Amino acid sequence: MDYKALLYLVVSLICFAGLEQTYAAGTNNWTGKLLVVPLDGSHWTGLKAVAEEMGRRGHTVIVVMPEISMRMGPGKHYITKMFPVPYSRDFFNKMMAESSHHVTTSEDSLLMSVVSKVNQMKKMFEFVASTAESLLKNQELIDFLREQKFDAVLTDPVLPIGPILAYNLSVPVVNMLRGMPCGLDPRVISCPSPPSYVPRFHTRNIDRMTFGQRVVNMLVTMLEVPLCKIVYGLFEEIQSNFIQRDVSLMEILSSAAVWLMRYDFTLDFPKPMMPNMVLIGGINCDIRNPLTKQ
Ligand SMILES: *[C@@H]1O[C@H](CO)[C@@H](O)[C@H](O)[C@H]1NC(C)=O
């Protein structure tokens, strides 16, 4: 081996060792601060798993949750910050029982069914809004969260309390979701979602549509914008009371850094993606166990 080749070898070995060292430091020693703003019910399951794992890996994880909830509670590897809410456990239980009653029973006529569903939805929204306001108007808690200087906020944006809070704290947002009602997610991500190809909810269409099916898909798509106004109008109000500057909810939602999508193309129809969208459908799967031998 000549002298030059040997020199190259030594230099590249040193460089490689150096690289490896910084890489190791990056993976083992760096720890950050994560704020988790979860939603209740099934939305909590995935977020809790991530919060626990991030805490287990040495990051400081703080989860804020209402004092009264269905499923949310403390964990082994994260810090829990509870905030008081203006309703009692009894009211909460009654509300949940009513709402499941409405889901499982059907009224005599279509009109009655629509009226009762709308009423129920309104009640639910008012309830969600009072929970959101209990958090955003809790100045002591907000000040505490601001002092923590978080690196990121992990949240479920379906009810956009987390994104509103993160915007106010000026912390980047990581959203984790299955999808937003009224097809809002592709719109705020600026992700193409052509109605000729991406099937809309409740149409029973697939990604290959006949002309007639495309027309129906197109009409449903046109309903999305007004539907979003109804669903998210309330949050628009909460947000403008809290943020007190000229910014819309859509702008807040579209400023998210990363979108972790809880679906997978083995189960969902393929559709366009943006570079800041990551498919994490497998997170819903149970840990694999060997089959029992019969
Ligand atoms: C955060 O909210 C407070 C009011 O609670 C407001 O005064 C402040 O301007 C907000 N900051 C940002 C960055 O939106």
Side-chain angles (χ1 to χ4, degrees), residues 136 139 142 146 167-170 241-245:
L136 299 177
Q139 203 54 48
I142 300 291
R146 201 183 304 278
Y167 184 88
N168 190 256
L169 301 178
S170 310
N241 283 340
F242 177 61
I243 303 268
Q244 290 167 358
R245 61 160 84 171

Side-chain angles (χ1 to χ4, degrees), residues 24-222:
T27 51
N28 293 339
N29 300 336
W30 184 82
T31 56
K33 285 189 126 180
L34 181 69
L35 170 62
V36 181
V37 189
L39 296 181
D40 207 354
S42 58
H43 299 266
W44 167 236
T45 317
L47 274 183
K48 179 176 185 180
V50 176
E52 285 276 31
E53 182 58 20
M54 293 294 281
R56 200 188 61 77
R57 293 186 185 191
H59 304 283
T60 306
V61 181
I62 297 183
V63 185
V64 290
M65 56 181 77
E67 265 173 0
I68 295 169
S69 72
M70 231 182 326
R71 291 192 178 186
M72 292 188 276
K76 213 162 128 199
H77 299 290
Y78 57 79
I79 301 160
T80 312
K81 272 288 203 189
M82 300 241 182
F83 59 89
V85 284
Y87 43 83
S88 65
R89 169 61 68 183
D90 279 351
F91 172 85
F92 182 83
N93 290 344
K94 210 171 126 235
M95 178 92 199
M96 290 303 137
E98 260 179 39
S99 130
S100 61
H101 172 81
H102 276 268
V103 170
T104 49
T105 53
S106 53
E107 301 285 337
D108 298 338
S109 70
L110 180 67
L111 184 68
M112 281 310 289
S113 150
V114 169
V115 168
S116 87
K117 284 228 162 54
V118 167
N119 274 336
Q120 182 58 27
M121 228 162 111
K122 213 172 136 231
K123 261 196 190 166
M124 204 69 195
F125 279 176
E126 279 164 6
F127 164 75
V128 166
S130 76
T131 311
E133 285 188 331
S134 317
L135 169 61
L136 299 177
K137 286 191 174 156
N138 189 331
Q139 203 54 48
E140 204 182 314
L141 178 58
I142 300 291
D143 290 343
F144 166 80
L145 295 176
R146 201 183 304 278
E147 280 161 23
Q148 302 304 308
K149 305 214 177 319
F150 289 106
D151 296 293
V153 172
L154 175 67
T155 189
D156 187 320
V158 170
L159 303 173
I161 307 163
I164 294 172
L165 178 60
Y167 184 88
N168 190 256
L169 301 178
S170 310
V171 178
V173 173
V174 179
N175 282 326
M176 189 165 141
L177 68 159
R178 178 76 179 77
M180 294 175 86
C182 60
L184 190 60
D185 41 319
R187 260 191 296 138
V188 290
I189 309 174
S190 304
C191 180
S193 185
S196 55
Y197 174 67
V198 179
R200 293 316 202 250
F201 277 119
H202 303 301
T203 55
R204 295 174 179 241
N205 287 339
I206 63 167
D207 59 335
R208 286 179 198 180
M209 291 172 247
T210 62
F211 179 72
Q213 287 169 329
R214 283 183 188 189
V215 170
V216 171
N217 215 47
M218 184 69 215
L219 291 176
V220 173
T221 308
M222 284 161 69

Side-chain angles (χ1 to χ4, degrees), residues 217-271:
N217 215 47
M218 184 69 215
L219 291 176
V220 173
T221 308
M222 284 161 69
L223 287 178
E224 285 178 343
V225 173
L227 193 64
C228 274
K229 281 237 166 5
I230 300 171
V231 178
Y232 286 105
L234 191 70
F235 284 97
E236 200 81 61
E237 212 172 284
I238 295 174
Q239 167 263 320
S240 67
N241 283 340
F242 177 61
I243 303 268
Q244 290 167 358
R245 61 160 84 171
D246 199 15
V247 59
S248 71
L249 186 59
M250 298 302 126
E251 279 172 83
I252 292 178
L253 284 171
S254 55
S255 65
V258 180
W259 294 76
L260 305 175
M261 312 303 294
R262 278 193 289 111
Y263 55 68
D264 196 275
F265 291 158
T266 46
L267 198 65
D268 280 46
F269 296 111
K271 55 187 170 190

